[in-house]
């Protein structure tokens, strides 16, 4: 069957949905993309900030990487501090490949860059169009509710669930989403400064118990993320604050779908798995799912998708859980041991290499369709 003749629905136009649509479009498919929202994430909501090296490799063929590199901040160092002292530091530029481990760009900007490239292929998401239900995953029929309230029933050859953690598609086809939530919440606040700041490093301050993380959003904006509800009063700002741009809080869940596919329905991104932001894997893993699925569809091998992606999903969930427990521990003895062990561990080349491979996203199988990918 010619590429364009498979009738594909992408439910959700977040980073995962836009990526799968773009990767399909550049191979000659014409997917239909719907999203219940009115548009992409607002630019001021930084959300998923870290773009890893694997994502930049995956988005290079569509040239989204070129656009990201023009706008994003390259992160050069990751450091852990306690009591004003640097306990450990990692040079995040020392990874194989051309990109460095991590760049920072707000999710709203990343989504707009994906949207821009997608429109080059004349594929535009249908905003305010909601998937209400999916009948029969073997021969999917989807009920859509449009902005004007009208309802459409349409059959598709393939339905891609990119509709986020609360995925209607996943629930409609009866795929469970088991897992658990952490007791504590995480708190985020982004500040824009009236004077230049250093946007090139990420810092985790251990406040025993708890952490306050500092991540650059752009050349004048920093994100602080913490396990402490009163963290804002503890921030030592690097320059006068011009504006508190955005704030949010959330509980961290570790969950994954019982299976990433059922019949002709395939789950990508948060629809398939959610975990803590430690290690900046969330959006990146969704983009990776999306690229693999589009490639497999183009090869007529979509039946292999769940088998190929499930190990990566399990590995990332395990890794982010371990990283999160390092930063959320409360026991004073465990904290003391961590603070002594951390500098030693970071000096071990094997440990820092493994950590960097994870942060780069290069600890999952490289994409076989991109020559020389690491
Ligand atoms: C406050 C906040 C902070 C975050 N911080 C980080 C971070 O620092 N690092 C990180 O890696 N990740 C972070 N994340 C998570 C990150 O945003 C997600 O991992 C990423 O957005 C997943 O992309 P996605 O496209 O799979 O899902 P989503 O971004 O959730 O996109 C799903 C899309 O589907 C649409 N949709 C939902 N239901 C329907 C329906 N029934 N019909 C049609 N469309 C539908 C939604 O409108 C949405 O556009 C954060 C998330 C939030 C909310």
């Amino acid at each position: 069957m010619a590429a364009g003749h498979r009738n594909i629905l992408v439910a959700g136009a977040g980073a995962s949905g836009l990526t799968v649509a773009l990767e399909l479009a550049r191979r000659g498919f014409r997917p239909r993309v719907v999203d219940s929202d009115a548009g992409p994430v607002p630019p001021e909501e930084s959300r998923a900030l870290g773009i890893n090296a694997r994502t930049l490799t995956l988005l290079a063929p569509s040239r989204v990487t070129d656009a990201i590199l023009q706008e994003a901040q390259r992160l050069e160092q990751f450091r852990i501090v306690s009591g004003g002292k640097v306990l450990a530091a990692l040079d995040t530029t020392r990874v194989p490949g051309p990109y460095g481990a991590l760049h920072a760009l707000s999710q709203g900007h990343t989504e707009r860059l994906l949207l821009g490239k997608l429109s080059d292929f004349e594929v535009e998401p249908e905003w305010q169009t909601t998937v209400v239900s999916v009948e029969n995953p073997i021969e999917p029929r989807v009920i859509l509710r449009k902005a004007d309230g009208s309802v459409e029933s349409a059959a598709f050859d393939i339905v891609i669930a990119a509709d986020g953690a609360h995925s209607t598609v996943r629930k409609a086809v009866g795929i469970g989403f088991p897992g658990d939530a952490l007791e504590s919440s995480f708190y985020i606040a982004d500040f824009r400064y009236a004077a230049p700041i250093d946007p090139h490093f990420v810092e985790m301050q251990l406040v025993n118990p708890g952490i306050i993380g500092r991540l650059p959003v752009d050349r004048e904006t920093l994100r602080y993320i913490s396990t402490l509800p009163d963290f804002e009063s503890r921030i030592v700002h690097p320059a006068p604050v011009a504006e508190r741009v955005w704030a949010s809080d959330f509980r961290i869940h570790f969950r994954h779908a019982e299976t990433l596919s059922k019949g002709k329905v395939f789950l990508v991104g948060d629809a398939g798995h959610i975990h803590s932001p430690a290690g900046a894997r969330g959006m990146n893993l969704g983009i990776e799912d999306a690229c693999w699925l589009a490639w497999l569809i183009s090869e007529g091998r979509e039946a292999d998708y769940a088998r190929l992606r499930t190990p990566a999903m399990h590995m990332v969930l395990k890794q982010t859980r371990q990283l999160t427990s390092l930063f959320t521990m409360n026991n004073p003895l465990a904290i003391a041991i961590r603070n002594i062990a951390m500098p030693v561990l970071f000096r071990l080349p094997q440990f820092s290499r493994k950590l960097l491979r994870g942060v780069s996203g290069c600890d999952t199988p490289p994409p076989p369709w991109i020559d020389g990918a690491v």
Side-chain angles (χ1 to χ4, degrees), residues 204-252:
M204 287 292 158
Q205 187 194 346
L206 307 176
V207 281
N208 309 329
I211 55 135
I212 301 176
R214 168 221 190 268
L215 301 93
V217 176
D218 57 39
R219 282 172 211 280
E220 51 183 25
T221 314
L222 291 177
R223 164 189 293 182
Y224 290 90
I225 180 166
S226 182
T227 47
L228 309 167
D230 67 344
F231 76 109
E232 288 193 44
S233 62
R234 302 184 188 214
I235 296 171
V236 181
H237 290 286
V241 173
E243 186 190 359
R244 182 174 178 269
V245 186
W246 178 65
S248 181
D249 60 88
F250 53 91
R251 272 186 86 189
I252 289 177

Side-chain angles (χ1 to χ4, degrees), residues 17 117 133 135 157 160 199 203 214 228 248 257 275 286 300 304-305 314 334 338:
K117 290 290 174 197
S133 70
E135 292 156 11
D157 299 320
I160 299 173
E203 187 172 278
R214 168 221 190 268
L228 309 167
S248 181
H275 52 76
D304 291 340
Y305 172 72
H314 283 305
R338 176 198 66 189

Side-chain angles (χ1 to χ4, degrees), residues 23-40:
E23 287 291 288
L24 286 167
R26 76 178 183 85
R27 292 181 170 103
F29 292 85
R30 297 274 306 172
R32 186 169 169 193
V33 185
V34 299
D35 195 290
S36 51
D37 250 338

Side-chain angles (χ1 to χ4, degrees), residues 1 23 78 85 123 157 188 333 372:
M1 197 183 289
E23 287 291 288
F78 173 74
K85 204 173 130 207
V123 177
D157 299 320
I188 287 180
L333 181 61

